[in-house]
Amino acid sequence: MFRAIFALFVAGSALVVAGAAAVAGPVHGIAMLGEPKYTPGFAHFDYADASAPKGGRLILSANGAFDSTNPLIIKGDAVAGAAGFVFESLMGRALDEPFSLYGLIAESIETPPDRAWVAFTIRPEARFSDGTPITVDDVIFSLELLRDKGRPNHRDYYSKVTKIEKVGERGVKFTFKDASNRELPLILGLMPVLPKHAIDPAQFETPSLVPMIGSGPFVMHRIDPGRTIVYKRNADYWGRELGLNRGRFNFDAVEFQYFRDVTAQSEAFKSGDIDLQSEADPSRWTEAYNFAGVTSGAIVKAEFPIGLPAGMQGLFLNTRRPLLADQRVRKALIALFDFEWLNRSLYSGQYTRTNSFFARSELASAGKPADARELAMLKPYATDVEASILAGTWTPPKSDGTGFNRGNLRVALGLFKEAGYVQDGRTLIDSKTKTPVSLEILVAKRDQERMLGAYVTALAEAGIAARIRQVDSAQMQARQTAFDFDIMPFTLPASLSPGNEQLFRWSSAQADNPGSYNLTGLKSPAADAMIAALLAATTREDFVAAVRAFDRVLLSKDLVLPLFYLEKQWVAHASWLRHPKQTSLYGYQIDTWWADPVAAPKRAP
C-alpha cells in the first residue's frame, strides 16, 4: 500500500564543481524527459491538501508476518511501511508526473546534458530522527553500504558509480562508468540515506527487530514481532514545512496489523479493527461488501482512477526448469488458461485480460503495429519477435467461455507433442523417458485459490499432474530468492517511465543473481538491447518506441501466463477518513489522507 516514495521541496542552492562541463546549473528538480511540472517554491503537490489537519491513529493490515525492520536487504521479511515512513532519499518523486524528482534531503541537483555525473547539495537543516545532522559522509556511507550489502537492485545501480567526490561542506558528486544510462542521476536521487553513526555495516545484512533510525516523518514506535508495528509521527521532523510534504503524513500514528490469510484480514475489517481495505477481487467487491458497516454508512466503498500502466499480473514460468525451458511447453500452458470462463463465472466479468507488460497505457504494444523507430531497433533481432506481435494483432488465447476450452486444449496437446510429450491414457508423459509431467504452483496467499484451482483442473484435462503448494511468507521469500519454483503468481508493477528496474527484472546479467526479479530466468540479447535503448532515449517519442519494442520482445518469449487487471482502484474505508479531491497518477495515496477531527475514534497514539 505504501510505496517506497519520498518527497520534499527544494530551494535552489549554488554548487560549484571544479572543472565541470557547462551545465544548466543546480536546479530544484529534474525530469527523466523534458522539464519537471513544479517550479521552485511550489506550495504542495496538486494531489495533496495543504489544509489537511494532523491527528488521529490509522490502523491498516498486511499479510503474512515479519521478522525484520530493514527493508533494504534480501534476508528476512521486512515490516510494511518502513521504506516510506522512516527512510528518506536525496530527492522525492512527484506522483502526478511520469518521472520527476524534487529535492528532499538534497536541496539541489546538478547534472550535465549527457548525464555522465550528478551532484547534490545537502540541506543544512536535514536531520535524522535522533537529531543528528545529515552529512555528505552519511550519503557516501549509504551508497557504499547498499552497493556492497543491499538488495541486488541497489548493488547493481550503485556499482555503476566509478567516482565519489566531496564538494565543499555540503556537496557530493557521483561519476558514472556509462553515460548512456540517462536514468542514473534520478536513480541516485532516490537512494535512501542512512545514518552512518547508527548502523554497524558488519550486522547490516542480518535481519533484526531493533527499530531503525531514519530521517523520515515517522519513527518506529512499537513492535510486536510478526504481528504489529506502530509508527509514530515525529513531532520534530525536520522537513514538515517543505512544499513536498505539505498535506502529507497527517496521522499521529499508523499501525500495521498482520494476518495470515485474506479471510482473517477481511473479518478484522468488517469488525472495525482495520480502517481501510483495498480490493482487487470483483466477486468480493460486488458480493462481500454488504455487511452492517457498509449498509449503516460506517464503511464507504470508493473507486479511484489510476493513470499508471496495469503492469503484469500473471503466472511466472521458471525457464530454469528443464520442462519449462521449452517455449512450446510454455505456449501450451498459456493456451490452457480459460480467462473468458473464469472472468464470467468468478469475477462478474469485470476484469480485462492483460495483453502487454504495460497494459492500460500508451507504452503497450498490443493493438499497434511496430512503427519505423521500433522496426529499426528490432531489425538485428528479427527472429526474436513473433509476426503477429510485431503487427499488433496478437492477443492471448481465447475460449468460447463455456468452460470446456476444447479448441485451446487441442492446440496445447499439439504443442506438447512437438516438444516430445504425449498422452498415455489420461497422463501426459515424456515420450522418451515415459516420465509423467508434473508441475507445482507456489503461492503464499489464498486469495487466488479458486482461480488457480480452475487452472489445475484445466491442466489435468491435458494430463498434467499439477498441485498448488501454499507456503508461509518466509518460505515464499526464500524460494523466490533462490528461484526454487515451477510456476508462481507474481505482479510486476509498471510506471509511465520504466527504466533501470527493467535490468533487475529482465536482463541477462540478473538471470542467475539470487534475489533479483528476473524470476523467469530470461537471457535474451534482444531484451538487453531494448532495455539499453529505453535507458538511452532522450525524447519521449524514442522512449515510447523503445518500451513498445521491449514489450514485443517479452511477449514473444511466452515467459508469463498473463492474467488480468482492473480499470480502477477499489477501496473500502472507515467513513471518518478523508482524502484530497484530486488523485495522483498512481491512484490513491494514503499518506495524503487524514482523520476527520470530529468523527474519528479517539485512540491512544
Side-chain angles (χ1 to χ4, degrees):
M1 179 176 300
F2 285 88
R3 301 168 175 88
I5 294 166
F6 319 97
L8 276 176
F9 156 69
V10 73
S13 152
L15 174 62
V16 179
V17 181
V23 294
V27 290
H28 76 295
I30 184 173
M32 181 62 194
L33 296 169
E35 298 297 323
K37 169 183 175 180
Y38 294 96
T39 57
F42 70 93
H44 59 87
F45 286 137
D46 290 345
Y47 54 88
D49 187 337
S51 64
K54 306 294 185 184
R57 181 189 185 96
L58 177 69
I59 303 177
L60 302 172
S61 62
N63 291 117
F66 65 89
D67 60 7
S68 173
T69 55
N70 189 348
L72 303 173
I73 58 175
I74 293 178
K75 296 178 181 178
D77 284 333
V79 291
F85 284 154
V86 175
F87 301 107
E88 291 182 314
S89 48
L90 289 163
M91 305 193 78
R93 188 168 188 164
L95 301 186
D96 53 355
E97 302 175 72
F99 193 6
S100 292
L101 303 182
Y102 300 89
L104 178 49
I105 290 172
E107 67 183 10
S108 66
I109 180 173
E110 184 175 11
T111 189
D114 66 0
R115 298 190 177 181
W117 54 264
V118 65
F120 302 93
T121 300
I122 308 304
R123 291 182 181 275
E125 69 271 29
R127 297 284 189 278
F128 292 109
S129 61
D130 63 358
T132 304
I134 300 175
T135 68
V136 171
D137 286 339
D138 291 307
V139 176
I140 296 173
F141 168 79
S142 300
L143 183 138
E144 293 176 341
L145 182 66
L146 295 172
R147 179 196 63 198
D148 298 338
K149 298 177 179 290
R151 299 190 66 83
N153 55 327
H154 287 153
R155 298 186 190 208
D156 180 55
Y157 296 157
Y158 306 146
S159 67
K160 300 179 189 300
V161 174
T162 57
K163 187 178 181 181
I164 304 172
E165 301 171 78
K166 288 187 179 181
V167 183
E169 290 294 320
R170 296 188 287 118
V172 60
K173 178 183 176 183
F174 303 103
T175 301
F176 307 119
K177 66 176 67 173
D178 181 5
S180 67
N181 192 333
R182 295 181 55 79
E183 194 183 26
L184 286 178
L186 286 81
I187 293 294
L188 266 291
L190 289 174
M191 181 182 72
V193 178
L194 305 173
K196 182 178 181 179
H197 68 280
I199 292 178
D200 178 2
Q203 298 299 318
F204 184 71
E205 293 179 274
T206 303
S208 169
L209 289 172
V210 175
M212 296 187 72
I213 292 174
S215 62
F218 287 82
V219 296
M220 296 181 181
H221 177 60
R222 179 171 60 83
I223 299 172
D224 181 3
R227 297 182 177 181
T228 306
I229 182 166
V230 179
Y231 298 94
K232 187 175 182 180
R233 188 157 55 87
N234 182 5
D236 297 321
Y237 173 47
W238 69 273
R240 61 184 177 275
E241 294 302 323
L242 296 171
L244 276 166
N245 275 344
R246 291 196 186 106
R248 301 175 63 212
F249 309 117
N250 300 311
F251 297 99
D252 285 340
V254 178
E255 175 178 337
F256 286 89
Q257 293 186 8
Y258 277 74
F259 297 88
R260 293 289 182 178
D261 57 58
V262 174
T263 300
Q265 189 175 10
S266 296
E267 289 303 315
F269 176 67
K270 290 179 182 179
S271 66
D273 294 334
I274 304 299
D275 298 326
L276 180 146
Q277 182 161 287
S278 297
E279 186 56 74
D281 187 323
S283 60
R284 286 203 298 262
W285 187 247
T286 55
E287 301 170 9
Y289 288 81
N290 54 3
F291 53 91
V294 175
T295 56
S296 70
I299 298 295
V300 176
K301 292 177 67 178
E303 294 186 356
F304 294 93
I306 184 167
L308 289 184
M312 176 55 74
Q313 178 187 8
L315 301 183
F316 281 61
L317 309 176
N318 188 356
T319 65
R320 302 171 187 87
R321 300 292 206 234
L323 174 68
L324 300 175
D326 192 313
Q327 187 169 2
R328 293 166 296 187
V329 171
R330 302 197 300 272
K331 279 184 176 293
L333 294 175
I334 292 171
L336 290 171
F337 185 81
D338 192 344
F339 166 75
E340 285 69 28
W341 179 81
L342 284 165
N343 195 34
R344 177 177 60 82
S345 302
L346 301 184
Y347 304 123
S348 305
Q350 297 201 43
Y351 274 129
T352 300
R353 184 75 190 270
T354 299
N355 60 2
S356 165
F357 285 81
F358 306 95
R360 201 176 59 194
S361 80
E362 67 168 340
L363 302 177
S365 65
K368 309 177 186 80
D371 64 16
R373 286 184 174 88
E374 292 179 69
L375 292 173
M377 294 177 191
L378 292 168
K379 186 176 180 180
Y381 310 99
T383 60
D384 285 86
V385 181
E386 291 188 11
S388 61
I389 292 176
L390 195 67
T393 58
W394 174 85
T395 60
K398 292 182 179 179
S399 75
D400 59 10
T402 62
F404 295 104
N405 203 20
R406 291 192 180 95
N408 285 332
L409 176 60
R410 285 194 295 271
V411 169
L413 290 175
L415 288 165
F416 282 131
K417 186 174 182 179
E418 288 180 23
Y421 301 94
V422 296
Q423 281 190 317
D424 180 15
R426 295 186 60 84
T427 302
L428 191 71
I429 64 171
D430 185 317
S431 58
K432 294 180 179 179
T433 67
K434 309 304 180 184
T435 304
V437 174
S438 62
L439 288 167
E440 179 183 81
I441 303 175
L442 188 69
V443 299
K445 301 177 183 178
R446 297 179 60 187
D447 57 340
Q448 294 179 319
E449 186 175 13
R450 290 186 299 167
M451 181 269 290
L452 292 175
Y455 184 51
V456 166
T457 299
L459 293 174
E461 288 292 320
I464 299 172
R467 69 177 184 128
I468 300 170
R469 172 73 181 277
Q470 185 172 354
V471 297
D472 62 29
S473 58
Q475 290 175 299
M476 188 68 172
Q477 183 63 52
R479 292 187 62 174
Q480 178 183 316
T481 297
F483 308 126
D484 182 16
F485 66 93
D486 297 336
I487 301 175
M488 183 176 71
F490 199 75
T491 300
L492 286 177
S495 76
L496 291 169
S497 185
N500 275 268
E501 78 283 353
Q502 304 305 321
L503 291 168
F504 189 55
R505 297 172 178 181
W506 299 110
S507 72
S508 300
Q510 293 293 336
D512 298 321
N513 188 6
S516 83
Y517 284 162
N518 190 340
L519 300 177
T520 66
L522 175 67
K523 293 181 180 179
S524 165
D528 293 340
M530 296 311 107
I531 296 173
L534 69 89
L535 290 174
T538 58
T539 68
R540 186 68 184 174
E541 293 77 14
D542 285 345
F543 178 76
V544 171
V547 177
R548 288 180 183 173
F550 177 50
D551 190 33
R552 296 183 202 276
V553 171
L554 293 182
L555 291 171
S556 297
K557 300 297 183 183
D558 297 301
L559 302 164
V560 179
L561 191 167
L563 294 179
F564 33 68
Y565 63 90
L566 297 172
E567 298 290 346
K568 293 184 177 181
Q569 288 181 317
W570 291 332
V571 179
H573 63 83
S575 60
W576 50 266
L577 285 171
R578 304 287 181 263
H579 57 79
K581 294 180 180 179
Q582 183 169 325
T583 304
S584 79
L585 288 172
Y586 286 67
Y588 81 97
Q589 298 298 306
I590 196 65
D591 64 14
T592 66
W593 289 35
W594 66 92
D596 185 302
V598 176
K602 306 304 177 186
R603 294 168 172 165

